[in-house]
């Protein structure tokens, strides 16, 4: 900012001087370069970055200003100068252009002392200066402050750095001397709390409440609950590099602890600290002192200042009940609900504040909501700001508000949520301003900050089915297939390549979420798969495409129609000549039309804790559609999630499927038949091993025409991103169509672990067979592991 101001000041002087004399065509008699500081100045370097020359004629003031501004910008961008200014001096008919500059120094040496703990190498890396760089006092000061902050964040909270930039006026070089005063290295070994409301602080107590939480309300809290919400963390034996003492988090942590108590009814709580206790060897114990006071219950509830709506109407918006715990969070939510009530009826600039009166003797908190009613407002114009790549219409079609209608706070917030859910923006904020004085019309603006939507992932995975797989994944969530650069139209594009010991895949996916400017999603998938994990007796190659249209049918319901054209090739068959697999060897063309309806009320897409996802669908291949297969498939599946106790989740999911041939076709090929077993359904059995068998082929799984399975799973949080699971799986596969319960049942039970790492969620399970048919009799317990989510 300082350099810009200096440049502007120089230009103002130039313009004012010319304006005073009246501008006519002039000739620059001389161009002079001045170094405003003592030091070495290479005038040829300045001339190389400037365009104006002695003897050059200037025809207009605009031309002169533009040329000088361009030269000053070039000199500033060279980073060779800490100060640049241009002025025109006039003496009669003689005009002299003067460039006044202050040269930066060329860094010749960096000397660091005192960095015994952090180390000279780390200091130099964080300094971000290399020998030969051009520096000045301001630049070095900025770099040194960053290094100082780095030291403070890495266990040296009292670190300070002094520095001296020694210039060599003869050569234009400079030596930088840094003196580091690290102070004592401090790590937080323990974070403790003193008060009347704390239970024990053992590892046992830390885990047991997660696994067996009590339904009864308690006034005693485990210290780990507070440590979990604090910014200051402690070091562990498995993370000795962590736990640096950060005094700058003090106020935020005290506020978090206070809120924790106030949300549980301790409205008068006082929190002091932390008290620092030296444990030796640079280790600290932080002790926070908590005075809980009393736990309050809600008493009377009233309103002041409301004239537009009756008290009884506002009371309906408040979910507080007399006698309930006086939670500050619940009280603030009640105030927000009253504010929303006004906002949803066109009123803006409303303010609702709770006034809480506590009586420690009776342990009662009386609440009165002070209401300041706003003014009625209509929406004039809607402005979109900050979208440099995303087109306006992509955002406007998601809005729930329109120009000309009455202001509606909930619709504005819904619009914000929809824009956030697009996944294109880091932040979305709405604001409004008067459109014109003396009216109730307001302009509504949505300001966004775009984020990078493209991603390129390279990795490796391993599962009990695929074995080793390496993959490359290129995707973009805000694609535009019709423009270049192809960004900003809200389409989704993905290319994935996988190669492994048992599979080689190439997949290309494209989704247009607003096909033909309607809320109609067009999907196109192209894929090639070469899979060897289906069986040891054959390989299956698939080349295909699928086109789909999906439309919302309600708040939670979607309908989909699709068409797919696929070519299957069964080759490398090693089965005996009499085996049924030989009947399916060769190339098959499959032409399929399908339709499905899905219902989804889950709270989260990947790791839900409550809600239901159900779908039913039918596919028909062949017949008038052509191809080598005349079959149909029916499918019904559902998954229900229930939150239980404290962050526990109980999930029951099941699936029914049946497939059959029709017309002149008498066979469903092996790649379309039904199997169970493996990490996605019956985890206690080998992949595809729950199936009718081929007696002519060493009892090889042949697949059936009907299948069902059901899974009950209970997950418990252990630590952040890690959950334990217990489960029971049961299911069967029948030889006949619609014969769901005629086949022998197989089931298993087991335990598992869910590690919810972003992009790489891992499911580890150990399952023991419980009920086994004759084909799986004697099966042992088995491990299964899966990289990815299971739906």
């Amino acid at each position: 900012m300082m350099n810009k101001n200096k440049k502007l000041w120089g230009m103002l002087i130039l313009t004012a001087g010319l304006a005073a004399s009246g501008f006519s065509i002039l000739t620059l008699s001389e161009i002079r370069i001045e170094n405003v500081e003592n030091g070495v100045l290479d005038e040829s370097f300045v001339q190389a970055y400037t365009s104006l020359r002695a003897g050059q004629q200037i025809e207009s003031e605009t031309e002169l200003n533009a040329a000088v501004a361009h030269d000053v910008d070039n000199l500033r961008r060279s980073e060779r100068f800490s100060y640049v200014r241009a002025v025109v001096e006039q003496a009669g008919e003689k005009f002299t252009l003067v460039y006044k500059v202050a040269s930066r120094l060329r860094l010749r040496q960096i000397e660091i002392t005192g960095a015994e703990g952090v180390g000279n190498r780390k200091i130099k890396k964080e300094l971000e200066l290399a020998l030969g760089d051009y520096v000045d006092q301001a630049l070095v000061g900025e770099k040194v402050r960053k290094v100082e902050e780095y030291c403070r964040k890495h266990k040296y909270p009292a670190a300070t750095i002094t520095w001296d930039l020694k210039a060599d006026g003869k050569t234009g070089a400079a030596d930088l001397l840094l003196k580091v005063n690290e102070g004592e290295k401090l790590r937080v070994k323990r974070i403790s709390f003193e008060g009347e409301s704390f239970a024990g602080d053992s590892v046992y107590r830390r885990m047991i409440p997660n696994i067996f939480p009590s339904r009864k309300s308690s006034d005693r809290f485990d210290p780990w609950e507070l440590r979990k919400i604090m910014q200051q963390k402690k070091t562990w034996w498995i993370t000795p590099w962590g736990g640096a003492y950060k005094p700058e988090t003090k106020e935020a942590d005290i506020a978090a602890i206070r809120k924790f108590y106030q949300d549980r009814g301790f409205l008068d709580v006082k929190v002091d600290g932390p008290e620092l206790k030296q444990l030796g060897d640079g280790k600290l114990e932080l002790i926070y002192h908590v005075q809980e006071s009393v736990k309050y219950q809600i008493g009377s509830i009233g309103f002041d200042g409301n004239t537009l709506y009756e008290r009884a109407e506002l009371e309906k918006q408040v979910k507080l009940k007399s006698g309930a715990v006086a939670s500050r969070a619940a009280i603030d939510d009640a105030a927000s609900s009253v504010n929303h009530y006004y906002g949803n009826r066109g009123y803006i600039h409303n303010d609702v504040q709770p006034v809480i009166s506590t009586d420690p003797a009776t342990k009662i908190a009386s609440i009165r909501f002070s209401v300041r009613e706003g003014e009625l407002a209509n929406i004039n114009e809607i402005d979109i700001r900050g979208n440099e790549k995303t087109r306006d219409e992509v955002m406007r079609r998601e809005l729930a508000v329109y120009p000309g209608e009455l202001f509606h706070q909930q619709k504005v917030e819904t619009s914000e949520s929809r824009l956030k859910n697009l996944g294109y923006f880091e932040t979305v904020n709405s604001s409004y301003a008067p459109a014109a004085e003396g009216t109730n019309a307001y302009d509504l603006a949505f300001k966004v900050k775009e984020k990078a939507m493209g991603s390129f992932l390279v990795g490796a995975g391993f599962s009990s089915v695929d074995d080793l797989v390496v993959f490359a994944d290129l995707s973009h969530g805000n694609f535009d297939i019709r423009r270049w650069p192809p960004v900003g139209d809200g389409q989704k594009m993905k290319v994935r390549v996988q190669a492994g010991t048992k599979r080689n895949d190439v997949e290309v996916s494209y989704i247009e979420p607003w096909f033909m400017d309607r809320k109609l999603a067009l999907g196109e998938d192209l894929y090639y798969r070469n899979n060897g994990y289906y069986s040891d007796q054959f390989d299956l190659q698939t080349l295909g495409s699928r086109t789909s249209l999906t439309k919302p049918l309600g708040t939670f319901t979607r309908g989909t129609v699709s068409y797919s054209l696929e070519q299957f090739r069964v080759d490398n068959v090693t089965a005996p000549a009499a085996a049924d697999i030989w009947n399916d060897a060769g190339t098959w063309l499959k032409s399929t039309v399908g339709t499905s309806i899905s219902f989804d009320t889950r709270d989260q897409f990947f790791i839900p804790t409550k809600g239901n996802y159900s779908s039913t669908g039918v596919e028909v291949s062949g017949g008038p559609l052509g191809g080598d297969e005349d079959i149909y498939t029916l499918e019904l599946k559902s998954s229900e999630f229930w939150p239980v106790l404290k962050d526990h989740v109980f999930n029951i999911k099941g699936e029914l499927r049946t497939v059959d041939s029709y017309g002149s076709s008498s066979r469903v090929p092996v790649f379309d038949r039904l199997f169970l077993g493996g990490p996605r359904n019956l985890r206690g059995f080998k992949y595809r091993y729950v199936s009718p068998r081929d007696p002519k082929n060493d009892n090889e799984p042949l697949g059936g025409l009907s299948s069902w399975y059901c899974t009950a799973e209970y997950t418990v949080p252990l630590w952040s991103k890690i959950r334990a699971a217990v489960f029971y799986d049961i299911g069967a596969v029948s030889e006949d169509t619609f014969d769901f319960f005629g086949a022998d049942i197989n089931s298993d039970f087991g335990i598992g672990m869910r590690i919810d790492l972003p992009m790489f969620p891992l499911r580890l399970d150990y399952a023991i067979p419980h009920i086994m048919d004759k084909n799986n009799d004697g099966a042992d317990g088995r491990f299964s592991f899966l990289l990815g989510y299971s739906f």
Side-chain angles (χ1 to χ4, degrees), residues 53 56 61 123 159 180 204 325 370 392 423 437 481 493 506 513 541 559 566 609 621 650 666 714:
R53 296 291 181 263
Q56 184 174 342
E61 181 181 344
I123 294 292
V180 182
Y204 170 79
V325 173
S370 176
D392 269 18
E437 277 192 51
I481 201 170
M493 192 74 180
V506 178
Q541 297 179 12
E566 300 168 293
T609 62
S621 305
F650 182 51
S666 61
Y714 192 91

Side-chain angles (χ1 to χ4, degrees), residues 2 20 40 66 72 75 122 126 190 209 238 280 296 310 322 325 334 360 392 453 497-498 513 528 532 679 747 767:
M2 182 174 65
V40 177
V72 170
L75 290 170
K122 181 60 69 174
E126 297 300 324
R190 288 199 295 266
I238 56 175
Y296 289 98
E310 296 292 336
S322 295
V325 173
D392 269 18
M453 286 302 299
V497 179
Q498 296 184 113
Y528 168 78
S747 70

Side-chain angles (χ1 to χ4, degrees), residues 489-656:
D489 200 32
Q491 301 153 14
K492 302 183 188 302
M493 192 74 180
K494 180 178 179 179
V495 179
R496 184 179 179 89
V497 179
Q498 296 184 113
T501 56
K502 290 188 176 182
R503 68 183 304 167
N504 294 284
D505 301 344
V506 178
E507 301 176 8
V508 179
S509 300
Y510 168 82
I511 298 176
E512 166 57 77
W514 283 77
F515 182 56
M516 299 178 65
D517 292 326
R518 299 172 181 268
K519 191 68 174 176
L520 184 67
L522 169 67
E524 184 65 41
D525 298 284
L526 304 174
Y527 44 90
Y528 168 78
R529 304 181 183 117
N530 190 349
N531 299 328
Y533 59 80
Y534 284 109
S535 172
D536 293 333
Q537 296 189 346
F538 67 91
D539 292 334
L540 177 64
Q541 297 179 12
T542 307
L543 177 64
S545 69
R546 182 179 185 269
T547 303
S548 64
L549 290 171
T550 301
K551 180 178 177 57
L553 303 178
T555 305
F556 305 109
T557 309
R558 292 176 177 269
T560 300
V561 294
S562 64
Y563 174 76
S564 59
L565 183 64
E566 300 168 293
Q567 177 182 281
F568 298 92
R569 180 174 180 80
V570 178
D571 58 8
N572 295 329
V573 179
T574 59
D580 287 345
I581 292 177
W582 280 104
N583 297 328
D584 301 326
T587 302
W588 297 70
L589 184 66
K590 183 181 180 182
S591 178
T592 306
V593 64
T595 182
S596 66
I597 295 177
S598 63
F599 175 80
D600 192 352
T601 61
R602 294 173 297 177
D603 59 339
Q604 300 177 76
F605 183 71
F606 289 118
I607 310 173
T609 62
K610 63 180 178 180
N612 177 271
Y613 176 80
S614 298
S615 68
T616 181
V618 58
E619 290 185 345
V620 178
S621 305
L625 301 174
D628 300 318
E629 291 189 68
D630 297 329
I631 66 172
Y632 65 86
T633 303
L634 303 175
E635 179 183 81
L636 173 64
K637 57 183 178 181
S638 183
S639 187
E640 182 77 29
F641 298 85
W642 292 274
V644 183
L645 302 179
K646 183 179 179 180
D647 298 328
H648 295 204
V649 179
F650 182 51
N651 171 221
I652 293 181
K653 63 180 177 180
E655 180 182 274
L656 289 171

